[in-house]
Amino acid sequence: IRMKNRTFDNHQRSIMELMAALGWVVIVPPPQGPVAFTKEAIGATEFWSNKIRKEFRGKNETQIKFCDAAKALIYDLVAYIKEYHLTGLTWNPKGGKLEEYTPGASPAAAAAATAPAVKKPAGGGGGPMAIMNELSKKQTSDGSSAATGLKKVTRDMQTWRKEFKADTSKVVAPSPSPSIPIQKKYSGGGGTGTIRKHAPVLQYEPMGNKWKVEYQTKDSSKGKPLEIKIKDVKEQVYLYQCNDVTVIVSNKLKNIIIDKCTKCNVVFDTVVSSVEIVNSQKVQVQTKGVCPSITIDKTDGFLAYLSKETVNSIEIVTSKSSEMNVSWEEANGEMKEAPIPEQFVSRFGNGVLKTDVSDLYH
C-alpha cells in the first residue's frame, strides 16, 4: 500500500520494517531466539529513519522525534522479550479457567483459586519431633527399640579420631563418571563461551524472507564457496557461528547479518539496507554493487572491499571493535587501504565536550 502523498513515504517504509519485529511471537529456538530476530528490524528501520532525519533535521523536530521513538520502541521490545520470553513465547501451565478470571488478579492467585485442595497427611509435621515419635512406636514392652542389636562404635572406628586406621586391604573401585559430550571453546568479540556441535544449515525460510547459513565450516562446505541466489529484493541473509567459509550472494537483497562468525568471507552484489557484523573475528566483505551502510559491533578483525559505486556514499558505524580496514580502487586502478579509527581524543572547553579522531590516523 502506497499513500498518494509521498511526503511521508519514508515514514511508512520505516513503520513497515518495524512491524516485521512483531513476528517474534512465532520464533522458537534453536538456532535463533526471539531477541536476535527482533534486533534484525533495527537496521532496516534505521535505514529509512536516517532518510527522514536527513530531510527534516533543523526544519521539523517532530519528525526527528518520530525516528527516535521508532528506535526506542524496538529496544523496549527487546528488553521486554529478554525479561519475560527469552526462549520464546511461553504460557502459564497452571492458568485458571477463562470464565473464572478476575481482571487485575495475578496469574498465581487465579491458579490458586482453581487448584484442587490437597489433603495433608495425618500425623505431625516433619523435623526432629517426627523422628522421635516414629522411634517411640518401635519400642516394645521388653525395652527393645529400633536401635536394639546394632553394633557399638568404638574409638578406633571413629574416623575423626587419631586412633582411626583405615583398612587398606580392600580397595573400592571408583564408579565410572558419566560421559560428557565434547564441547569446543570459542572466543568472539563478545567474550568466550562454549558451543556444542550442530549440523550445518543452508536453507531459505519463507517466514521472514531469510536465508539461514549456520554452523558451516571448511569441512562441511568441502572447501568450496557457498552460493546463494536471491530471487526477491526483500530477502535477507543471516550467517551464524560459521567458521572459515566463503559465501557468495548473487542479485540485489535487503540486508546481510554476520553473527558470531570466524574467518568468514562474504561477497555480494547490492544491499538495500545494510551489512551488520556482530560478535565476530577476522571477517571480510566485498561489495560489487551498492552498499549504503556497514555496522560493526564487538568484532576483532574486519576488512571491506568497496566498489566504485559505493566508495563515495557508504556510511560505516563501529562500536567496541578493533583491527578494522577499508580497501577501494582509485581512479588510476591502484588499490588503496585505510584503517578505521579506534582511538579518539575528547576535549572539554567552554561547557562543551568535543571528540576528535586521534592524530595517529592523520
Side-chain angles (χ1 to χ4, degrees), residues 200-216:
V201 177
L202 176 56
Q203 64 182 21
Y204 175 71
E205 287 190 351
M207 176 67 70
N209 299 321
K210 181 189 300 183
W211 281 92
K212 297 173 65 175
V213 185
E214 300 174 348
Y215 310 110
Q216 293 285 350

Side-chain angles (χ1 to χ4, degrees), residues 304-349:
Y305 295 94
L306 306 180
S307 63
K308 294 181 179 179
E309 296 86 348
T310 300
V311 70
N312 292 322
S313 60
I314 190 170
E315 178 184 65
I316 302 178
V317 181
T318 65
S319 62
K320 298 181 181 180
S321 301
S322 62
E323 301 177 25
M324 301 171 290
N325 294 274
V326 178
S327 179
W328 69 94
E329 184 180 357
E330 293 188 320
N332 56 9
E334 294 184 1
M335 295 298 296
K336 187 175 181 179
E337 185 172 322
I340 299 176
E342 302 173 30
Q343 189 179 82
F344 303 89
V345 179
S346 298
R347 297 180 178 88
F348 194 85

Side-chain angles (χ1 to χ4, degrees), residues 34-50:
V35 174
F37 175 84
T38 307
K39 284 183 177 180
E40 292 176 3
I42 297 176
T45 304
E46 279 294 282
F47 174 76
W48 299 109
S49 295
N50 288 336

Side-chain angles (χ1 to χ4, degrees), residues 27 52 60 73 120 136 175 200 256 259 263 265 302 327 336:
I27 299 300
I52 300 172
N60 190 340
L73 180 61
K120 293 185 177 180
S136 63
S175 58
I256 299 174
D259 187 7
K263 297 170 63 177
N265 308 315
F302 170 79
S327 179
K336 187 175 181 179

Side-chain angles (χ1 to χ4, degrees), residues 109-353:
T114 57
V118 181
K119 295 183 178 180
K120 293 185 177 180
M129 289 302 297
I131 298 176
M132 298 303 296
N133 291 335
E134 194 66 26
L135 290 175
S136 63
K137 295 178 183 178
K138 302 292 183 180
Q139 190 170 4
T140 61
S141 58
D142 59 352
S144 300
S145 66
T148 303
L150 296 179
K151 293 182 179 180
K152 183 179 180 180
V153 180
T154 58
R155 291 175 64 89
D156 60 335
M157 295 180 182
Q158 297 173 357
T159 57
W160 57 275
R161 294 186 179 276
K162 294 182 179 180
E163 295 88 345
F164 174 75
K165 294 181 180 180
D167 186 5
T168 57
S169 59
K170 297 179 181 180
V171 180
V172 180
S175 58
S177 58
S179 58
I180 301 175
I182 298 176
Q183 297 180 340
K184 295 182 180 180
K185 290 280 186 179
Y186 74 87
S187 175
T192 58
T194 352
I195 57 173
R196 295 181 181 272
K197 189 174 182 180
H198 296 270
V201 177
L202 176 56
Q203 64 182 21
Y204 175 71
E205 287 190 351
M207 176 67 70
N209 299 321
K210 181 189 300 183
W211 281 92
K212 297 173 65 175
V213 185
E214 300 174 348
Y215 310 110
Q216 293 285 350
T217 63
K218 187 176 182 180
D219 295 334
S220 63
S221 63
K222 299 180 180 179
K224 298 181 180 180
L226 302 174
E227 297 186 6
I228 298 176
K229 293 185 178 181
I230 303 298
K231 297 181 180 179
D232 191 340
V233 71
K234 295 181 181 179
E235 295 179 9
Q236 55 184 329
V237 175
Y238 179 70
L239 277 74
Y240 181 73
Q241 284 198 11
C242 296
N243 184 21
D244 199 10
V245 295
T246 298
V247 179
I248 300 177
V249 184
S250 303
N251 302 326
K252 189 176 182 179
L253 75 159
K254 180 180 176 181
N255 69 318
I256 299 174
I257 300 175
I258 304 173
D259 187 7
K260 290 185 180 179
C261 295
T262 305
K263 297 170 63 177
C264 289
N265 308 315
V266 179
V267 182
F268 59 93
D269 290 340
T270 296
V271 294
V272 176
S273 177
S274 64
V275 176
E276 301 177 27
I277 301 96
V278 59
N279 293 329
S280 300
Q281 288 185 328
K282 299 179 181 179
V283 173
Q284 296 186 12
V285 298
Q286 178 180 353
T287 171
K288 296 189 289 184
V290 178
C291 178
S293 175
I294 296 179
T295 303
I296 310 167
D297 183 26
K298 299 176 184 177
T299 296
D300 299 323
F302 170 79
L303 176 60
Y305 295 94
L306 306 180
S307 63
K308 294 181 179 179
E309 296 86 348
T310 300
V311 70
N312 292 322
S313 60
I314 190 170
E315 178 184 65
I316 302 178
V317 181
T318 65
S319 62
K320 298 181 181 180
S321 301
S322 62
E323 301 177 25
M324 301 171 290
N325 294 274
V326 178
S327 179
W328 69 94
E329 184 180 357
E330 293 188 320
N332 56 9
E334 294 184 1
M335 295 298 296
K336 187 175 181 179
E337 185 172 322
I340 299 176
E342 302 173 30
Q343 189 179 82
F344 303 89
V345 179
S346 298
R347 297 180 178 88
F348 194 85
N350 299 324
V352 178
L353 181 64

